[in-house]
Amino acid sequence: VRSVAASAPAPARVLRIGASRPPPSGLSTSTRAVAGRMGAAAEAALLPCQLDSYLRECDAEVLGCEPLAGAGSGGSRKAGKKKGKKGKGGADGGSGSNVTGAPVARFAVTLSRSCLYPEGGGQPADHGDVVTSDPGAPTVAARVCDVQTRAEDGATIHYVDEALPVGAAVRVRLDWGRRFDLMQQHTAQHAFSGLIERRLGLETVSW
């Protein structure tokens, strides 16, 4: 997800399944041309946040929810690394938080769609919330601690602190303040690296 740094963020946008949506303004000119030729197939291959980097919420369905090994110690290497750094308390088994108050991932959730960007391309994963929206059912709110792309099938996995019922309708909400900061830093890093390479001939070899 990339964006030219701006002093004031654009207004929030919300994507609803089955509803008409505005043109994908977050696409580059070349990607927009490809999407225009491929139509729905192109959009289906991209996450909503790749179509619109300012999208902050979207509706989805829970396709899967699996407990992580160790109930908070991390079922994936990446999630385990992040929780291991905290090092104190782990999951408390009830609130899904460690002693510092930070949420701890205890479940791996797959959704029908998401506005949360998985770690990749030099940009950290988004954080946010997934909240059930089925009328008449108890509301479940899960904090998204990490988002990763599963190597085996390319699925986007959301690591959350609360279990979500499979088949439930949910609202996915982005932590916009964190995302906008990452977008600005990512854009600035590319601009700075390009300047250093052009002026001094030094390539970026790590970040």
Side-chain angles (χ1 to χ4, degrees), residues 16-177:
R16 303 182 189 280
I17 296 176
S20 60
R21 62 187 307 275
S25 56
L27 290 173
S28 65
T29 302
S30 58
T31 307
R32 190 193 306 273
V34 172
R37 290 195 298 270
M38 298 180 65
E43 289 203 24
L46 297 172
L47 294 171
C49 61
Q50 292 172 305
L51 296 168
D52 184 349
S53 58
Y54 286 91
L55 185 68
R56 305 186 198 185
E57 297 184 3
C58 72
D59 292 327
E61 178 185 348
V62 178
L63 302 181
C65 180
E66 298 292 337
L68 297 177
S73 62
S76 72
R77 183 176 62 86
K78 179 62 66 174
K81 274 188 175 181
K82 292 186 177 180
K83 286 182 284 295
K85 290 180 181 178
K86 294 181 175 62
K88 297 181 180 179
D92 66 9
S95 65
S97 299
N98 60 19
V99 294
T100 66
V104 174
R106 299 191 299 142
F107 300 90
V109 170
T110 52
L111 303 172
S112 60
R113 62 194 304 117
S114 177
C115 58
L116 304 185
Y117 184 74
E119 180 179 12
Q123 183 156 317
D126 282 335
H127 292 173
D129 298 284
V130 180
V131 182
T132 57
S133 56
D134 285 325
T139 299
V140 179
R143 180 67 180 168
V144 180
C145 312
D146 191 18
V147 187
Q148 297 291 322
T149 301
R150 189 163 56 197
E152 303 88 89
D153 57 6
T156 299
I157 308 299
H158 302 71
Y159 293 97
V160 303
D161 64 349
E162 297 290 342
L164 293 164
V166 175
V170 293
R171 171 66 59 86
V172 187
R173 304 185 304 200
L174 169 68
D175 180 344
W176 171 249

